[in-house]
Structure formats: C-alpha cells, structure tokens
C-alpha cells in the first residue's frame, strides 16, 4: 500500500487530503451524507493507485537500432515496440528514451490506449555527429490514470550499444605502381644483357651510396642510375595514422584528428577493395587492424577496420618516435598531424628509399576555425619529406578527401614502373 501511495500525483494527494478533511467534518457535524462523500473521495485515489500498481507490471517493450553500426554524420533510426500482456487495461503511457546529446534530442511519446495482444510500433531518428560507442537508453515509461490522480515510473529497457564509425568517402584511383614489389614507383626494371639477371634501378638521389651506381644503365640513360636492393615483397600497404592529441587542433567533428581518422578509414577500405592487404598502425607502430585483400567476407573485414577507428582515442605522447620502419618493408601511406623536423628526420631515416613512402600532412592550425594562410612549419616538414624521396600532399579544412587522394596518386603516377628487355 505504501508503494502504491508513492505514485499519487499532486492532484491525487490533494483529493486524499480533502476526503480526510471531509470525513473529520462529517464526524464532528454528524453528517452521514458528507461521510459517504468523504469515503468516496478518499477511496478513489487509493483504488486508482492500487489498480495502476497492478497494471504497470504487465507492460513490455523492445528496442531495435536500425542499423546498430552507423557512420558519423548520417541518419539512423530507433524502432520501439510497446505491448500489454495482461487483461487489465492500461491508461495513458508516457515513454522517454535516453538518448545522448551527441545523437540528438531525447524523444518522448504518449500512448493514450495500449491494446492487448498487439504491439504499438514507435520510431524516432538519430544523427550522430561524432564517432565512438554510444549507449541508447534506458527506456522509461510513466503510466497515468485518466483522472491524473496517480502515476508510476518504470524502466522497460536498459541500454543498447550503438557503434558510430568514422565517415567513409569514396575514392578513385591508386598510386602509380601500387603493389608492385618493393613499392618504389620510380624504379625501372631493365634486362641488362644476355644471361644477366634483371636489376631494378632508379635515378640517383642526394645521399645515395655511390657504390650502388649501375654504370651500364647510367651510360644508356645519360644520367646517374643506382641499383635498388630488392627486398622480399611482403605485399600490401601500411596506413600510419598519427593520433597524438598534441599533433592536432580543433574540436568536435571539425577537428583535424577526425579528418585524419575519416581519411584513414577511406584509404584502408579503398585499398583493400582494390586487392591490397592493409595494415593500419599508429604513429608508434601499434597495429590497429590487419585486413587481407579479397579474402574473407568483405563487410566483416571492413567492420574490423572501422570498429578499431571508432574507439580510437587521442594519444598523450607528444613526440612521434617509431625506432623502426613502421611499414616493415611494405608501401607506406602516413597521415600526419603537426610533426617536428626531428620526427620527420627519424621517420624518413627508418624508411628504405627503395620502398614507396607517401604522406598526407595536415596543416592542423587551420582546423581551429580561424582560417589564415598555410603554416610555414607544415611547408618545412613537407619539404624535408620530399627531399627524402616521399610523395607529400598538404591538407587543410578546405581540402576534400577525394581531392587529396587524387593529388597523392599524381605524385607517383608520373614515375611509373617501366618493364623492358632492350639492350
């Protein structure tokens, strides 16, 4: 009874107090008719409270996320079903589902009459703007009687897990010579003579060992050519994502880190669908995902990459230190934030010149929303990487991802691989 009385509204409590006062007056004045009215006034909210306490346990509900994995910036839907199992009728039901602020406004529904044996379907949209794991719920129901005398709150459903993955943009094209052996797009394969094994040569770059000069090819092309030591081809492409908090600027969906994560997801899925094995690693060499090319279920493999990026949080390390080749001999596509000259030198030092190395440098200070010209430090880092033989593209908030990718492909397309057997 005490639990039932706790559900009385202000109107119900006032009516109960009025009935008690009328009963006292009826006893003092010896008015039997007033006493009958008092008994009715007191009994009405009590009966309603007991009735609702019995009826509320008969209500059930279910929730379905459509879909349960959604890309940031797109629109999804939540489907609710509400039903009544018992024979006791239910009054007005107010539903409120717990939705995080990042998914939109909190939905509320009013169901005036809940039929027995048939579910009432309810839907509401969600539009997550930030990637991550979101919890939808709990779903709470408030049952009231037609007179507004009593109401009860009940949790019908707990939390449902929603995975918000990074936005994936469709890309076109591949870097020139992608996936062809050691990955150096400037290599030239020549047959140097009868019975002599093929060698891989490329143009001389400052700092190359003069002992590797291939004189026969140099004489033929009238420019210095050096031998490229063939490495066992491990196949595939490594995508390096710099997710240090100190290397990025901006907040929310417009932050440079979110741009980098979305671009990394787009590149990984694009390259994998082109048949490349993809390794996704952090700036410190930690493997986030290792996805084969055409092998296995495509959607499942894509979800492995997207789920790893959905839960990725900014790293607190300030310096970009690898201490080894992060691509382990594979082709490398690095997506970098703000990097120091020392970090650039170390990254280039561990990368063999015979392997393709591409980089997208984010001009992160421009992601703060203040605009402005390109940062000189970013230009300096790009120049250092280009001097080390890297293909580099600088991106800012105005750069579209397909545009950046197309420019990155053009940095190597003009130096394609030439196969020949001439003398």
């Amino acid at each position: 009874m005490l639990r039932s009385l706790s559900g009385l509204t202000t109107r119900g409590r006032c009516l109960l107090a009025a009935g008690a006062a009328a009963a006292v007056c009826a006893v003092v004045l010896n008015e039997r008719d007033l006493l009958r009215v008092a008994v009715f006034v007191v009994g009405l909210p009590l009966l309603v409270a007991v009735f609702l306490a019995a009826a509320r346990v008969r209500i059930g509900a279910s929730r379905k996320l459509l879909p349960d994995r959604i890309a940031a910036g797109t629109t999804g839907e939540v489907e609710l079903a509400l039903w009544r199992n018992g024979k006791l009728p239910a009054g007005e039901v107010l539903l409120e589902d717990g939705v995080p602020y990042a998914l939109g406004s909190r939905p509320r529904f009013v169901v005036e009459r809940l039929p027995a044996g048939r579910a009432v379907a309810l839907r509401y949209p969600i539009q997550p703007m930030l990637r991550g794991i979101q919890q939808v719920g709990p779903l709470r129901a408030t049952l009231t009687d037609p007179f507004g005398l009593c109401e009860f709150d009940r949790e019908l459903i707990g939390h449902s897990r929603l995975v918000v993955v990074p936005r994936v943009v469709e890309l076109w094209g591949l870097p020139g010579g992608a996936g062809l052996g050691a990955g150096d797009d400037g290599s030239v394969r020549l047959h140097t003579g009868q019975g002599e094994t093929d060698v891989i040569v490329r143009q001389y770059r400052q700092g190359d060992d003069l002992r590797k000069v291939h004189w026969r090819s140099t004489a033929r092309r009238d420019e210095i050519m050096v031998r490229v030591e063939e490495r066992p081809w491990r196949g595939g492409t490594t995508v390096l994502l710099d997710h240090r908090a100190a290397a990025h600027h901006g907040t929310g969906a417009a932050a440079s880190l979110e741009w980098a994560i979305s671009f990394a997801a787009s590149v990984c899925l694009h390259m994998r669908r082109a048949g490349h094995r993809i390794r996704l690693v952090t700036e410190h060499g930690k493997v986030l995902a290792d996805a084969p090319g055409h092998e296995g279920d495509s959607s499942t493999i894509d979800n492995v990459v997207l789920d790893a990026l959905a839960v990725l949080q900014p790293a607190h390390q300030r310096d970009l230190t690898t201490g080894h080749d992060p691509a382990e001999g594979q082709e490398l596509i690095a997506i970098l934030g703000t990097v120091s000259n020392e970090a650039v030198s170390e990254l280039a030092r561990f990368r063999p010149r015979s392997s393709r190395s591409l980089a997208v440098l984010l001009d992160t200070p421009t992601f703060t929303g203040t605009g402005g010209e390109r940062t000189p430090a970013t230009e300096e880092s790009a120049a250092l990487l280009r001097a080390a033989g890297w293909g580099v593209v600088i991106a800012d908030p105005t750069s579209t991802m397909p545009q950046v990718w197309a420019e990155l492909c053009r940095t190597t397309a003009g130096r394609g691989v030439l196969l020949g057997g001439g003398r």
Side-chain angles (χ1 to χ4, degrees), residues 193-366:
Q194 184 68 27
E196 186 177 351
T197 59
D198 291 351
V199 296
I200 301 176
V201 296
R202 59 168 171 79
Q203 293 177 343
Y204 172 82
R205 299 171 185 164
Q206 185 176 2
D208 284 340
D209 189 351
L210 292 178
R211 291 175 297 180
K212 295 183 179 180
V213 173
H214 193 260
W215 298 108
R216 191 184 297 269
S217 300
T218 298
R220 180 177 299 149
R221 298 178 60 87
D222 198 24
E223 59 179 330
I224 299 178
M225 307 295 292
V226 296
R227 294 189 306 274
V228 177
E229 294 180 356
E230 283 198 85
R231 299 173 179 268
W233 182 47
R234 303 186 60 175
T237 301
T238 294
V239 177
L240 183 148
L241 175 61
D242 180 9
H243 73 304
R244 295 170 297 134
H248 291 275
H249 292 80
T251 58
S256 61
L257 177 60
E258 298 304 318
W259 195 100
I261 290 176
S262 181
F263 185 71
S266 302
V267 171
C268 286
L269 267 60
H270 174 67
M271 297 291 287
R272 198 201 66 78
R273 291 165 183 170
H276 289 245
R277 177 185 177 184
I278 290 295
R279 289 176 69 249
L280 176 62
V281 302
T282 68
E283 71 282 357
H284 295 98
K286 178 183 177 182
V287 179
L288 299 177
D290 193 343
H294 291 306
E295 303 174 5
D297 182 63
S298 177
S299 60
T300 302
I301 297 173
D302 289 350
N303 289 338
V304 171
V305 176
L306 294 176
D307 289 353
L309 291 173
V311 300
L312 187 66
Q313 297 298 318
H316 298 294
Q317 294 88 346
R318 298 193 60 86
D319 297 325
L320 192 154
T321 55
T322 56
H324 64 283
D325 178 13
E328 298 182 357
Q330 292 184 341
E331 299 174 348
L332 176 65
I333 300 176
I335 305 168
L336 305 174
T338 301
V339 289
S340 63
N341 293 344
E342 294 77 10
V344 170
S345 300
E346 181 178 356
L347 188 61
R349 178 164 57 92
F350 287 106
R351 282 294 293 166
R353 286 179 174 266
S354 59
S355 298
R356 180 204 311 279
S357 301
L358 304 176
V360 175
L361 273 179
L362 272 66
D363 194 11
T364 59
T366 60

